[in-house]
Amino acid sequence: MNAVTVNGDDLKIEDVCEVAYKNKEVIFPNDDTFLETLKKSRDFLMKYIATGAPTYGVTTGFGDSCANQISVEKAEKLQHSIVTYHGIGLGKKFNHEVGRAVVLCRLNSNVKDGHSAIRVELAQMMRTLLNKDIIPVIPELGSVGASGDLTPLSYLGAVIMGQREVYYKGKIVPAMEAFNAEGIKPLSLAAKEGLAIMNGTSVMTAVASLAWKKAERLANISDFLTAATSEIMRGKDVPFRKKVSEIKNHPGQCESAAYVYNIIKDSKRVYKYEDFLNEEIDSLDGKGYKKQDKKIQDRYSLRCAPQVTGVYRDTLKIARDWIEQELNSANDNPLVDIESESLFNTGNFYGGHICAACDYMRTALANISDLADKQAEVIIDGKFNGLTENLIPFTPDDDPCAGLRFGFKAAQITISAIRGEVQSYCYPISITSHPTEALNQDKVSMGTISARKFAEQIDLVYLQFAVHLLAAMQAVDLCGEEDFSPFTQKVYTEIRKISSFVLDDRVLDKEATDVAEWLKSTDLFA
């Protein structure tokens, strides 16, 4: 499809990515029911307010100030006030793509079944921002994840009113400059609409959605590193056979083992179980005892790799479910239910599921990072790899550079340094909740911080895997490319377009960075 339909119910992580990265057009359902529901819920809200019943954030103050009663005549000014005083986001700015994802997520939540009771004009304005690519510049710091992403989402509310700054045509400009260029009139926020825009989980959900998609492809890359390491180390195929993982019973492990097995089954360097067993029986030669040259089973970083990356795959599935459920939730306060003609003061803005999903993902990600670190050790360390120390090219003793080459010695240090930093991201952000806002927000989710940390951690793992790949392909050269599986040879060919064999020591930082960027975009591992 050429457009993403926003109806509050069916948004997928892939839709968020399409809108964020490819500027895909956003449309509403082509039926009368959708707009009628928005109008009906708005009409109910206005009638409810007219009864004189206290309405949170409309005829009351916000948060702990909700006991303060405010006249209906000041309802619009109140919405401008909440947007204004939350304009204290600090630090780095979310980039243009994250900003697009934020607007999409907020729009999808605000139109869900009319629960947010926004006007049709406000929904159309958010759609216009996306389709004209006028995107709020949102600071990263300032949200505790309940009452939702108040401070960062205030930047969306302000832009709708023609205030603050936007990304527009590759630059950061005042919102009104972009509006004037596109012939758009700012929209003043009416009763409850400032609250509807701000009081929700759309920043953390947007960040988590984009991060999840980047994290998803790391599962296959991790399994490829396992396969390549098995080939380099002349490992055994048994741990990756289908029956083994079926006995264990976890879907993620089965997927990882299958991915590895489908690569190594065509390799001349990996021992098939039957061939290895026959070779060992023959070597006994009737003597009854002999210390074998090869161990009957591989070290854990190979033998248990599907059990590690399998957890990562299963955690991805759990996280996806929670993120997409949040994507399609009504998560502001108060909420309208037009079926029962009720208005609910509640706490759906709490980002606990997003925070937990990202907490779990960061731990699972750190485990595949740690696994790769151990695999890199065995292929680089000359005590284990059966090749040369630090993957130095074979040189005769009379070579004038003998003893002056150090190969991948520093590369292994970099891999371990990044692994250590990746692990530092594992502390569960959800338990750092601390009371704020006069003890009204006394238990908060911290979901936005958790999502941001997840996104940061992913970029580190791509860099680590890139250095690992350079080392693995160096080992392929030293072993002889022709004995490796066809798939490993395909990867080798692509890497060699970016980085050549390290014959003499050279600076590798740019090549490693380029490989990391390639890993983020290639479909080779899909």
Side-chain angles (χ1 to χ4, degrees):
M1 291 181 63
N2 295 322
V4 169
T5 300
V6 170
N7 61 16
D9 294 320
D10 303 315
L11 211 60
K12 301 292 184 186
I13 285 174
E14 287 73 19
D15 297 324
V16 179
C17 294
E18 290 284 301
V19 170
Y21 296 123
K22 298 180 181 179
N23 289 12
K24 185 163 277 194
E25 182 186 7
V26 172
I27 60 175
F28 293 143
N30 188 24
D31 62 69
D32 295 334
T33 305
F34 175 76
L35 294 181
E36 285 175 1
T37 299
L38 294 185
K39 292 174 183 175
K40 191 174 180 181
S41 66
R42 185 68 188 177
D43 289 344
F44 167 77
L45 176 65
M46 299 313 293
K47 290 176 183 176
Y48 184 93
I49 295 169
T51 66
T55 308
Y56 174 74
V58 177
T59 59
T60 76
F62 303 110
D64 185 62
S65 303
C66 66
N68 299 334
Q69 294 298 300
I70 297 164
S71 67
V72 174
E73 291 74 24
K74 295 182 179 179
E76 184 172 309
K77 187 174 181 180
L78 185 67
Q79 301 309 302
H80 291 207
S81 178
I82 192 174
V83 171
T84 299
Y85 80 80
H86 276 96
I88 191 160
L90 299 174
K92 286 171 52 183
K93 307 298 190 289
F94 288 115
N95 64 27
H96 169 254
E97 291 79 12
V98 172
R100 287 186 60 81
V102 169
V103 179
L104 177 68
C105 291
R106 198 73 213 123
L107 172 59
N108 194 63
S109 175
N110 280 160
V111 301
K112 182 178 178 66
D113 298 328
H115 294 309
S116 295
I118 65 170
R119 290 172 295 162
V120 170
E121 294 93 326
L122 180 53
Q124 291 170 333
M125 181 59 146
M126 284 191 272
R127 182 185 63 180
T128 296
L129 292 180
L130 287 167
N131 291 340
K132 295 292 186 181
D133 200 25
I134 301 172
I135 302 303
V137 177
I138 304 173
E140 292 187 359
L141 305 181
S143 175
V144 294
S147 301
D149 290 314
L150 288 168
T151 290
L153 284 173
S154 78
Y155 288 77
L156 171 58
V159 165
I160 288 168
M161 296 190 294
Q163 301 170 9
R164 302 186 199 171
E165 293 182 318
V166 295
Y167 292 107
Y168 179 65
K169 295 190 179 300
K171 296 179 181 179
I172 294 178
V173 301
M176 280 309 302
E177 181 178 323
F179 280 12
N180 290 335
E182 296 289 345
I184 298 170
K185 292 183 179 180
L187 182 68
S188 185
L189 297 175
K192 190 191 177 292
E193 289 183 330
L195 200 58
I197 290 288
M198 293 167 51
N199 205 359
T201 62
S202 297
V203 175
M204 67 180 82
T205 306
V207 174
S209 296
L210 300 184
W212 186 94
K213 197 62 183 174
K214 290 180 181 177
E216 180 190 31
R217 61 171 50 231
L218 287 170
N220 287 352
I221 298 169
S222 175
D223 284 330
F224 170 73
L225 291 174
T226 295
T229 303
S230 293
E231 292 188 87
I232 294 163
M233 299 302 297
R234 300 192 65 82
K236 322 298 185 298
D237 75 342
V238 172
F240 311 106
R241 291 196 175 192
K242 183 178 180 180
K243 185 64 177 180
V244 172
S245 290
E246 286 179 343
I247 294 170
K248 179 69 169 177
N249 209 34
H250 293 292
Q253 179 182 327
C254 293
E255 292 169 18
S256 280
Y259 192 95
V260 176
Y261 188 79
N262 284 335
I263 296 172
I264 64 173
K265 65 183 175 62
D266 298 319
S267 175
K268 297 176 184 177
R269 294 188 57 84
V270 173
Y271 280 101
K272 309 295 188 290
Y273 171 71
E274 295 80 8
D275 295 341
F276 181 79
L277 191 63
N278 291 335
E279 189 176 306
E280 293 300 287
I281 291 172
D282 292 344
S283 70
L284 285 173
D285 197 24
K287 296 177 181 177
Y289 171 81
K290 178 186 176 184
K291 186 172 178 63
Q292 306 287 22
D293 295 330
K294 296 181 289 294
K295 293 181 178 179
I296 195 169
Q297 57 187 19
D298 298 318
R299 64 188 72 244
Y300 281 18
S301 59
L302 289 180
R303 191 168 18 127
C304 301
Q307 286 82 352
V308 177
T309 312
V311 173
Y312 183 75
R313 289 182 181 274
D314 285 334
T315 307
L316 276 168
K317 293 171 187 172
I318 293 169
R320 181 187 184 113
D321 284 347
W322 289 1
I323 292 168
E324 290 188 339
Q325 287 160 6
E326 193 73 33
L327 267 176
N328 296 290
S329 69
N331 50 65
D332 66 285
N333 177 54
L335 293 169
V336 164
D337 178 36
I338 54 178
E339 290 185 5
S340 64
E341 295 191 336
S342 303
L343 186 142
F344 303 133
N345 293 99
T346 184
N348 280 3
F349 47 67
Y350 193 91
H353 280 85
I354 294 294
C355 191
C358 295
D359 278 358
Y360 299 159
M361 281 304 310
R362 290 198 314 280
T363 299
L365 192 56
N367 269 292
I368 65 168
S369 165
D370 190 50
L371 174 70
D373 177 61
K374 304 308 177 282
Q375 293 174 349
E377 157 67 19
V378 297
I379 66 172
I380 295 173
D381 193 330
K383 295 188 293 293
F384 307 114
N385 64 20
L387 300 169
T388 64
E389 62 179 40
N390 303 312
L391 301 176
I392 300 167
F394 294 103
T395 55
D397 292 340
D398 59 357
D399 187 312
C401 290
L404 299 178
R405 294 189 180 103
F406 296 92
F408 281 74
K409 182 186 289 288
Q412 188 189 351
I413 296 171
T414 295
I415 289 170
S416 291
I418 295 173
R419 183 269 313 154
E421 192 157 348
V422 166
Q423 290 183 332
S424 75
Y425 279 77
C426 289
Y427 191 83
I429 302 298
S430 56
I431 65 170
T432 65
S433 172
H434 189 78
T436 186
E437 202 260 302
L439 279 178
N440 173 57
Q441 298 181 22
D442 55 352
K443 173 63 178 168
V444 293
S445 78
M446 310 301 281
T448 312
I449 299 172
S450 185
R452 282 179 34 239
K453 295 299 181 187
F454 178 34
E456 292 170 9
Q457 186 194 39
I458 290 166
D459 286 337
L460 290 172
V461 177
Y462 273 105
L463 290 170
Q464 178 191 337
F465 282 9
V467 181
H468 190 153
L469 259 181
L470 290 178
M473 297 306 103
Q474 180 83 357
V476 169
D477 271 316
L478 295 176
C479 294
E481 175 195 356
E482 64 280 357
D483 288 339
F484 282 79
S485 68
F487 185 77
T488 300
Q489 292 183 45
K490 283 184 182 179
V491 176
Y492 170 87
T493 299
E494 294 303 312
I495 295 298
R496 285 291 171 253
K497 293 176 183 177
I498 303 171
S499 176
S500 62
F501 178 71
V502 179
L503 180 60
D504 293 304
D505 291 345
R506 67 173 187 269
V507 175
L508 292 172
D509 51 4
K510 185 178 185 306
E511 293 167 47
T513 302
D514 289 345
V515 170
E517 291 305 307
W518 174 75
L519 287 173
K520 291 177 182 178
S521 60
T522 181
D523 292 326
L524 184 59
F525 299 96

